[in-house]
Amino acid sequence: MSENIALDATPLEAASPYELRINLGKNLPETDIRTALATGDMGFLHSFTTGSAVDGPGIRVVGWTTGCMWRCLYCHNPDTWTMSNGIPVAVERAAEELRKYRRGLKVMSGGFTLSGGEPLMQHRFAVKLFRAAQAMGIHTALETNGYYGDKLGDPELEAIDLVLLDIKMWDEERHRRLTGMSPEPTRTFARRLAANGRPIWVRFVLVPGLSDDADDISRIASFAASLGNVERVEVLPFHQLGHFKWQKLGIPYRLEHTQPPTVDAVNQAVRLFRAEGLTAF
Ligand code: SF4
């Protein structure tokens, strides 16, 4: 893909988040970016996709933000790591996109999910957009690694009906090797969501040879069960759909020869979560 994509030549809506998108916000002056982040009046989005049945309850519209502070070895969307790869979108425009779908989302018991990238890199924009969605009667969900959860005040948590919390691994050192960062802020955010009575769906990516240690999974399960607000756990099998993005971006990819987990391995991980009394799929 050309590095000189005209800004308004790229539609906000994408067929899937696996479209490679780069440099869509690169011409925006640095001061505008800083103002956008400080006010939340504008956000950076890879795209909007519609019709998702896997990003929260019902059928959902998903906004994919750009910008992430982690570097997960299995990331499916490394083009979303850099904020300026995204399209600069005014919060009103993003809300108008949602307005188009609000009746259908209600009929399909769905809603709006903000994913990424890491949406809390743009927490003010996220909260403004969630509040606009809720004002239209749209259910809101945030998919996050939780690392910047402390940026949200307690009243802001109420703009989020459900948190899809990605818990990657328990062991500190292995978590750092996988993501580049400590797991502790994610756990702190999970505890805070529990204290505030905000529901969580835990998402756990199962990667053979990387995140399939039974003891590590059991520790995540035990932690999740102790919270009391985890409604379900989703074990997501690793896949290679994002591999081509690493190649196109010229980023060394270490999981080239890693296979998706077997059905048995996924079932075993699900059993470890269920053993702690959790609802897991
Ligand atoms: S937290 Fe998500 S977006 Fe960020 S690097 Fe990890 S998988 Fe990719």
Side-chain angles (χ1 to χ4, degrees):
M1 183 174 286
S2 160
E3 294 204 354
N4 298 308
I5 304 161
L7 187 59
D8 50 12
T10 306
L12 184 54
E13 191 160 331
S16 98
Y18 296 107
E19 272 184 24
L20 179 70
R21 293 187 166 196
I22 54 172
N23 290 334
L24 299 176
K26 74 169 183 179
N27 294 326
L28 205 67
E30 185 63 30
T31 49
D32 288 8
I33 296 173
R34 275 204 292 271
T35 304
L37 293 176
T39 62
D41 289 342
M42 188 175 69
F44 292 83
L45 292 172
H46 171 279
S47 60
F48 266 26
T49 59
T50 58
S52 168
V54 294
D55 294 292
I59 303 298
R60 307 188 72 84
V61 171
V62 184
W64 304 92
T65 61
T66 50
C68 187
M69 73 300 264
W70 287 13
R71 294 291 177 264
C72 301
L73 297 178
Y74 57 62
C75 184
H76 302 147
N77 293 309
D79 52 337
T80 65
W81 290 351
T82 307
M83 203 171 297
S84 61
N85 275 349
I87 304 173
V89 182
V91 70
E92 292 85 1
R93 181 182 164 208
E96 276 315 304
E97 282 292 308
L98 292 181
R99 189 178 299 281
K100 291 196 286 193
Y101 301 106
R102 70 179 162 160
R103 284 203 182 79
L105 292 176
K106 201 163 270 184
V107 169
M108 294 180 289
S109 305
F112 170 59
T113 300
L114 202 56
S115 183
E118 171 46 56
L120 294 185
M121 293 280 286
Q122 309 179 47
H123 68 288
R124 294 188 198 284
F125 174 77
V127 169
K128 282 192 173 177
L129 188 51
F130 282 141
R131 285 187 170 145
Q134 282 185 333
M136 290 184 249
I138 297 173
H139 177 273
T140 61
L142 167 72
E143 182 177 10
T144 178
N145 62 34
Y147 196 80
Y148 280 170
D150 62 355
K151 288 181 181 285
L152 299 174
D154 286 350
E156 292 175 320
L157 294 181
E158 288 171 22
I160 307 163
D161 295 315
L162 173 69
V163 174
L164 308 175
L165 188 65
D166 296 320
I167 300 186
K168 314 276 186 184
M169 199 169 278
W170 186 264
D171 179 79
E172 168 89 26
E173 268 324 296
R174 279 190 284 168
H175 189 281
R176 284 184 186 276
R177 282 202 294 275
L178 171 65
T179 69
M181 306 293 249
S182 164
E184 198 47 48
T186 303
R187 298 174 200 163
T188 302
F189 185 47
R191 290 187 197 100
R192 194 163 144 244
L193 289 168
N196 281 271
R198 310 305 298 171
I200 292 176
W201 288 12
V202 168
R203 308 190 101 193
F204 171 75
V205 180
L206 184 66
V207 190
L210 197 63
S211 65
D212 58 351
D213 180 80
D215 183 52
D216 202 86
I217 296 173
S218 291
R219 295 189 69 183
I220 294 172
S222 168
F223 171 73
S226 75
L227 294 169
N229 62 331
V230 174
E231 294 182 343
R232 65 193 272 169
V233 178
E234 296 180 333
V235 176
L236 309 174
F238 165 77
H239 58 69
Q240 292 280 10
L241 291 178
H243 180 191
F244 83 99
K245 288 190 174 185
W246 291 73
Q247 288 177 317
K248 294 255 182 190
L249 295 168
I251 309 171
Y253 182 64
R254 290 177 30 202
L255 304 187
E256 196 160 348
H257 303 297
T258 301
Q259 300 297 315
T262 62
V263 172
D264 278 355
V266 174
N267 288 340
Q268 171 62 11
V270 167
R271 276 196 293 274
L272 291 170
F273 284 105
R274 288 183 180 165
E276 292 291 339
L278 294 158
T279 300
F281 301 95

